[in-house]
Every structure is written in C-alpha cells, then in structure tokens.
Amino acid sequence: MGFEGGQVQNAIYVAGESPWPISAAEWEARAAEVLEPGPFDYIAGGAGSEATMRANLEAFERRRLRPRMLAGTAERDLAVEVLGTRSPAPFLLAPIGVLSIAHPDGEVGVARAAAATGVPLVLSSAASHTIEEVAEAMGDAPRWFQLYWVNDREIALSLVRRAESSGYRGLVVTVDTLTLGWRPRDLAKAYLPFLAGEGCAQFFSDPVFRSRLEQPPEEDVLAAAVAMLATFPNLALTWEDLAWLRGQTELPLLVKGVLRGEDAALAREAGADGVIVSNHGGRQVDGAVAALDALVEVRDELGPDAVVLMDGGIRGGADVLKALALGADAVLLGRPYAYGLAVGGQEGVEAVIRHLMADTDITLALMGARRATDLDRTWIAASS
Ligand code: GLV
C-alpha cells in the first residue's frame, strides 16, 4: 500500500490543532494577509470579469459523484504514470511563473516541496529561478519544463536544450498565452512584475537571449526586462510551428491550453504526445468554457488511449476524482500551491500537497474505488 490519507488526518486531530490552513479558501485568505495587494492579485486574479475563473469552480460544483459501498478499499493506489513520469498522486504542480512575488524562495521552494513529496513539478518559462537552479534543488525528482514559445525561435530552442540537459522529462508548450490576457486587477495597479526583473530568470540566464542585448541584465535590468517582454508575444504561431518543434526534441511533448476537440486533434497531428486542457486558470480569455467541460469534449474527440490532462479549479480531493472520472489521466494543481508558498515557503507547499493527497486518498476509499485510474464516467451522476 502506498500513501495513507488517514495518517495525515489523524496527525492533525492528535496534535489538537492544524499547523496549516485546511480549506482552499483559508489558504487564499492567509496568502492575502501576508502578500502586498500587487503580488496577491497577480496570482489570484484573472482576465476580464473573471467569469471563467468562476466557471472553472462551478463546473466541479455542478458534478456529483456516485460512491459505491462495501467495495473492499483497504488497499489503494493513488499513483499515476504519464508519458513515463510517475506521480504518487494523480496530480502534478502546474507551471506558475514569477513565484518570487509570493516568497523569496520562489520556484526553488516549490521544487524542494515537489521533490520531498515525489509529485512532479512543471517549471515555468516565466520563473524567478533558472532551469538549472531548480534541477539542482530537485536532484532526481521528476520534473517537466513549460515553454513559452517566444517570437525568437533560437531563444525558445535554447530553453528546450537547457531543459533537456538538466533532466526535465517532458516539454509542455503553452498555446493559450501568446500574449498576456486583459487583467483588470493588474492593470488597475499598473502591476507587472516582469518590469522589475521578476520572473525573468530563464531569459536573463540564457546565452542566446543575452547575446541579443546591448548590455547584460546585471547592468540594465529595465532594458533587459523590456527586451524580454518584446520577445514574449508570438501571435503568429500556428500548428505548423508545433510540428517543427516536434522534430527538434525527443522529450515527450504536451500542448497546454487546448479547449476544443478539434484543436486537440490538431495537436496530435502535429506530433504532440498529450494535451493539457486548460484556460490558464481563467487568466486569458474571459468567458471561455470551464476547463472541466472542455475536458469532456477533448476526451470524446481523442478517444480512450490519448494522454489528456487538465487544470483549472482543482481545490480538493473530490475535484481530482471528478476530473479523472471525466477523462483526465491526471490533473495539475495551480493557485493553491502558490498560496501555500506565500504562507509557508517550502513547508507550506508541502502541506498543500500532502493535504490534497490525503483528501484524494480518503475520498477515493469512501467512493469505493481502489485505484485513482479506475474511475470513469459511470462514477459521475448522469443528472449532474
Ligand atoms: C503568465 O503565465 C500568467 O498567467 O501570469
């Protein structure tokens, strides 16, 4: 038997108090207390009216599980394997950039928590710590790299090569953020952390990016940040470019940010090994379909054998299980771990991960299922 959620639960009761917040809402509230409004809203906010952020949550709320009783679930297995990468729980840590605005340890704190728990981390192109620093913090622990495919192919490819040589075992190409969405909370405060050089580590440390600058970032941060922001938008990108990238790397390639069945099919035709259904946590297209609803469409399009992950709205174990039942091979956890980092650094992230594992394990047991991977649509009420 692997992980035991009951032990995590008992430890809290026996201690007489929980050292950490328990509900997702409480983690968020604590993060709001410790962070300045600029950083907090950058993490918590979304595009436009934030309708899609709410829709992500509502889509989980709307679905209802159908537990079975007396199914003999004393022995359980929460683990999943996705494209050769194993996770002890059916979730990974989603790529989130600029985590130095949440905590000085930034992505290195997250990396250490991921390594301590065995849950894979998808490191962001917009991180505040480099590909190599995060690799060093993780040792052999599993990690993927998320690529923002900037408008300079040589820079993009340089990032891919660095990830390959630093032990990252998957490449996640984000296709929904070819430019930043319209984000009222940030606009109202004119808050963009990259302009202060935060979240620029991959670029500032990249030999190809540096060769494009007149002065190194150490001498002129603002000019380097402006150069990075000028490199970022890439609205000319098409599926043909993806086919080119496929030919450049042997890493498993996943396309993140797909919301329609036909786009998932195009990703597969271009050579992607998997897709991640996502609306970027509601940060890009306000009014876009909820990620969980899009998951159903994408799974229907690609069939049972395709690798399909999702993110957007995972706040508890029941959400993880609902997504698996509706066709996800695994999910990605986003904002909750950023709040964990803000509240408690590495230990906070570890607490968020262990709580979600415990909640998922206990709920799986009570659902009458032994393996997370056993769930299918029969576990979701038809009326929901
Ligand atoms: C960038 O990826 C962002 O969502 O802020």
Side-chain angles (χ1 to χ4, degrees), residues 42 95 97-98 124 126 146 148 177 180 183 194 232 280 283-284:
Y42 187 82
V98 217
S124 169
Q146 175 268 339
Y148 275 133
T177 306
L180 277 192
R183 299 177 182 171
F194 305 104
F232 184 75
H280 212 103
R283 299 166 73 79
Q284 288 298 98

Side-chain angles (χ1 to χ4, degrees), residues 251-343:
L251 287 177
L253 179 66
L254 295 101
V255 172
K256 176 170 179 283
V258 166
L259 290 171
R260 296 166 69 133
E262 66 260 41
D263 275 359
L266 287 167
R268 182 163 62 182
E269 276 167 38
D273 300 298
V275 295
I276 303 177
V277 177
S278 172
N279 51 40
H280 212 103
R283 299 166 73 79
Q284 288 298 98
V285 177
D286 188 31
V289 62
L292 191 67
D293 292 327
L295 167 68
V296 175
E297 177 179 331
V298 167
R299 176 55 80 190
D300 282 345
E301 174 70 31
L302 295 184
D305 297 333
V307 173
V308 180
L309 278 58
M310 72 83 65
D311 70 16
I314 300 288
R315 297 294 179 268
D319 300 329
V320 176
L321 300 181
K322 287 174 185 176
L324 295 185
L326 288 172
D329 295 307
V331 302
L332 286 81
L333 182 69
R335 288 185 182 89
Y337 87 75
Y339 298 140
L341 182 71
V343 172

Side-chain angles (χ1 to χ4, degrees), residues 160-161 164 169 171 245-253 273:
V160 173
R161 294 286 172 257
E164 286 170 343
R169 301 183 206 161
L171 182 65
L245 183 65
R246 169 70 293 177
Q248 298 292 321
T249 180
E250 305 268 295
L251 287 177
L253 179 66
D273 300 298

